[in-house]
Amino acid sequence: MDFYKNEPSVLLAVDCVIFGFDGESLNILLFKRAIEPEINKWSLPGGFVQADESPETAAARVLKKLTGLADIYIEESQVFGAPDRETYRRVVSITYYALIDIHKYEHIITHEYEAKWFPLSDYPPLIFDHQHMIEVAKRKLRSKAALYPVLFELLPEKFTLPQIALLYEKTYDIVLDRRNFNRKLLHSGLLIKLQEKDKTSSKRGAYYFKLDKDVYKEKIMSFLRYLPSWNIGSEKDQ
Amino acid sequence: MDFYKNEPSVLLAVDCVIFGFDGESLNILLFKRAIEPEINKWSLPGGFVQADESPETAAARVLKKLTGLADIYIEESQVFGAPDRETYRRVVSITYYALIDIHKYEHIITHEYEAKWFPLSDYPPLIFDHQHMIEVAKRKLRSKAALYPVLFELLPEKFTLPQIALLYEKTYDIVLDRRNFNRKLLHSGLLIKLQEKDKTSSKRGAYYFKLDKDVYKEKIMSFLRYLPSWNIGSEKDQ
DNA sequence: GCAAAAGTGTTAACTATACACCCATGC
DNA sequence: GCATGGGTGTATAGTTAACACTTTTGC
């Protein structure tokens, strides 16, 4: 059985745009590249898809290896496969974006790799088309987060209303009316109020909330039935 | 320069989920497969990414070859790359979905290939994981169409309000209130009313509309700023 | 004249927006 | 006691949802 024998083969890579929110800005995790070519330049973490794994598995493996984290929210972003996108060989890259709780990462990080968080709004030049990958991932994240409450994946187990609001502001580059946004959140059924307060950012303290896991899963998994709302949401500069 | 030399390579394919709307149901175009393995079974149209082309270009090439149509709306759907997804060799497939005006297709079709439209709700068994590809494409189309008015790509230049409504109904498996839906459409700024009427489906006739291309492009291209609306739109059975 | 589809208008419920003040606390 | 960020309430506008009848015309 030797079908397809005249078809060209390619190297298949995965690259990951890892988003993290530190309470101030939305960040991406970049790595000093450890292999040739372009060694020591900033890049997205990536690797090659091995013979026994699917691309998704490869992305999860790369993330596990580089951040120590498993069970991370990963979403496919886009394939980058222009014939000349890398200099020396043809490599087709499938990009994923991951949403992680930056604090978990800080505890587990192995310092085997030179990695650094950069604000999404200000990161250094990257190799190949990695900057483009980030822009696409950002756009996909915005679309996804408009329909599903995925941004909670960026927050710790316990979080405060001001934190969520800031996260949405940074994700969409907008300024929200906190009063209205709070109300929307509280009415969503997603949040369970805790007694404990976060006193790190104010004297009064802000109540912690946690996710109602059941409601959250339902909303995350739900299959869209109807929503077309293409009259709103875009190009309205504040 | 012989970087990456120990990395495995794969065959890279593209498969296309071609959506078409015939005025009654939302359909997909399936082909009797012309090559081994699995020759003569129903499948999604596809092909291999060649050395000098990007996956997107490959998808466009396949569509052109099989349907005769160029300048079609194509969107990347998802990568299918489980190691064992094909029986004989490892092939990683990037799936795209295309939205075409079924009537244009009917004029241009070359009958070199055995192809047939099937309703999205009732198509024959397919090879490999192609059924899964269709399900994913449907989900992606729903999400996309919730934020951007892409479904107009499925309609002819001139279309009527009842046609659009039916298209949305078939896409989301819902029943719409035509009065409200009409109003929403007319207020969207997307439509330009023509004098001419379509008399094929009623005695009275329904006015034709065409797209306001400028408004349409703006809405299609627009970069999401804010919209989170994860309180609505899902799991509400009628 | 009647069947069959197209089209329209009104009210009620809801959601989003705009806006300003009090609260709790550490210093 | 005051500066700082946290939290709440209300009125308005806008949007969506629910609802039924009239229009047109080919037969």
Side-chain angles (χ1 to χ4, degrees):
Chain A
M1 295 298 172
D2 196 13
F3 307 120
Y4 312 147
K5 68 181 168 197
N6 295 318
E7 302 297 343
S9 64
V10 303
L11 287 180
L12 195 61
V14 294
D15 286 300
C16 301
V17 180
I18 306 175
F19 290 104
F21 179 65
D22 60 8
E24 290 194 358
S25 63
L26 188 59
N27 301 312
I28 47 175
L29 188 59
L30 299 179
F31 287 75
K32 276 271 178 75
R33 191 168 151 99
I35 59 167
E36 288 286 1
E38 303 284 344
I39 192 165
N40 284 330
K41 298 197 179 166
W42 288 109
S43 72
L44 294 173
F48 288 94
V49 177
Q50 301 301 305
D52 59 347
E53 64 183 5
S54 70
E56 256 177 292
T57 309
R61 171 177 55 75
V62 166
L63 284 174
K64 177 80 165 70
K65 184 174 168 209
L66 298 179
T67 68
L69 289 177
D71 292 319
I72 293 171
Y73 181 93
I74 300 180
E75 188 86 22
E76 187 179 319
S77 175
Q78 193 175 293
V79 174
F80 287 76
D84 58 349
R85 60 174 287 278
E86 286 207 18
T87 324
Y88 301 99
R89 284 206 51 176
R90 179 164 200 189
V91 179
V92 171
S93 172
I94 306 168
T95 56
Y96 293 82
Y97 65 86
L99 306 178
I100 76 174
D101 171 4
I102 205 169
H103 306 96
K104 276 193 202 159
Y105 171 77
E106 282 174 343
H107 295 149
I108 303 180
I109 184 171
T110 63
H111 285 284
E112 288 176 59
Y113 307 95
E114 193 175 354
K116 194 165 177 298
W117 288 101
F118 290 91
L120 186 51
S121 54
D122 180 27
Y123 54 86
L126 302 177
I127 62 168
F128 308 140
D129 46 7
H130 286 200
Q131 181 183 344
H132 190 193
M133 290 176 176
I134 290 172
E135 294 308 312
V136 170
K138 178 183 171 183
R139 206 177 64 225
K140 298 254 177 189
L141 176 61
R142 282 188 180 186
S143 292
K144 185 80 182 181
L147 301 174
Y148 306 93
V150 290
L151 294 184
F152 288 95
E153 299 290 336
L154 292 162
L155 295 169
E157 292 246 330
K158 296 183 300 186
F159 45 80
T160 66
L161 295 181
Q163 275 174 42
I164 311 175
L166 196 59
L167 173 53
Y168 272 85
E169 289 182 337
K170 296 302 176 183
T171 303
Y172 288 97
D173 285 326
I174 48 164
V175 178
L176 290 168
D177 182 310
R178 303 302 178 95
R179 294 165 287 197
N180 294 331
F181 190 71
N182 285 1
R183 190 175 28 248
K184 187 169 172 171
L185 282 169
L186 295 171
H187 287 344
S188 71
L190 281 166
L191 303 187
I192 297 171
K193 191 176 190 171
L194 305 179
Q195 288 314 306
E196 198 184 348
K197 281 185 162 187
D198 166 31
K199 297 229 172 189
T200 58
S201 66
S202 81
K203 293 149 193 168
R204 179 181 178 178
Y207 280 107
Y208 277 118
F209 290 80
K210 64 175 184 180
L211 274 178
D212 183 321
K213 289 270 162 67
D214 293 335
V215 176
Y216 178 68
K217 273 189 189 142
E218 187 196 307
K219 285 183 190 285
I220 286 285
M221 303 294 188
S222 71
F223 196 61
L224 269 195
R225 264 166 221 273
Y226 182 59
L227 185 130
S229 51
W230 20 258
N231 290 334
I232 55 167
S234 58
E235 302 303 329
K236 272 188 245 165
D237 278 43
Q238 313 144 213
Chain B
M1 296 296 174
D2 195 13
F3 307 121
Y4 312 148
K5 67 181 166 196
N6 294 318
E7 303 295 344
S9 64
V10 303
L11 287 181
L12 196 59
V14 293
D15 286 300
C16 301
V17 179
I18 306 176
F19 290 103
F21 179 64
D22 60 8
E24 290 193 1
S25 63
L26 189 59
N27 301 312
I28 47 176
L29 188 59
L30 299 178
F31 286 74
K32 277 272 178 73
R33 192 167 149 101
I35 58 169
E36 289 285 2
E38 303 284 344
I39 191 165
N40 284 330
K41 297 198 179 166
W42 289 109
S43 71
L44 293 173
F48 289 94
V49 177
Q50 300 303 306
D52 59 347
E53 65 184 1
S54 69
E56 257 177 290
T57 309
R61 171 178 55 76
V62 166
L63 283 173
K64 177 82 166 69
K65 184 172 168 212
L66 297 179
T67 68
L69 289 177
D71 292 319
I72 294 172
Y73 180 93
I74 300 179
E75 188 85 22
E76 186 179 320
S77 176
Q78 194 177 291
V79 174
F80 286 76
D84 58 349
R85 60 173 287 277
E86 288 207 18
T87 322
Y88 301 99
R89 281 206 54 176
R90 178 164 200 187
V91 178
V92 171
S93 172
I94 307 168
T95 57
Y96 293 81
Y97 65 85
L99 306 179
I100 77 174
D101 171 3
I102 205 169
H103 305 97
K104 275 193 203 159
Y105 170 78
E106 283 175 340
H107 294 150
I108 303 181
I109 184 171
T110 62
H111 285 283
E112 287 177 61
Y113 308 95
E114 192 175 352
K116 193 165 178 300
W117 288 101
F118 291 90
L120 186 50
S121 54
D122 180 27
Y123 54 86
L126 302 176
I127 61 168
F128 309 141
D129 45 8
H130 286 200
Q131 182 183 345
H132 190 194
M133 289 174 176
I134 290 172
E135 293 309 312
V136 170
K138 178 183 172 183
R139 205 176 65 224
K140 298 255 177 189
L141 176 61
R142 283 187 180 186
S143 291
K144 186 79 182 182
L147 300 175
Y148 305 93
V150 291
L151 294 184
F152 288 95
E153 299 290 337
L154 291 163
L155 294 169
E157 293 245 333
K158 295 184 299 185
F159 46 81
T160 65
L161 295 181
Q163 274 174 43
I164 312 175
L166 196 60
L167 173 54
Y168 272 86
E169 290 182 336
K170 296 303 176 183
T171 304
Y172 289 97
D173 284 326
I174 48 164
V175 178
L176 289 168
D177 182 309
R178 303 301 178 96
R179 293 165 286 197
N180 294 331
F181 190 72
N182 284 1
R183 190 175 27 248
K184 187 170 171 169
L185 281 169
L186 294 170
H187 288 341
S188 71
L190 281 166
L191 303 187
I192 296 171
K193 191 175 189 170
L194 305 179
Q195 287 315 305
E196 198 184 346
K197 280 184 162 187
D198 166 31
K199 297 229 173 188
T200 57
S201 66
S202 81
K203 293 148 191 170
R204 179 180 179 180
Y207 280 107
Y208 278 119
F209 290 81
K210 64 175 184 179
L211 274 179
D212 183 322
K213 289 270 163 65
D214 294 334
V215 176
Y216 179 67
K217 274 191 187 139
E218 188 194 306
K219 285 184 191 284
I220 286 285
M221 303 293 189
S222 70
F223 195 63
L224 269 196
R225 266 168 218 274
Y226 182 58
L227 184 132
S229 52
W230 19 259
N231 290 336
I232 55 165
S234 55
E235 301 303 329
K236 271 187 248 164
D237 278 43
Q238 315 141 213

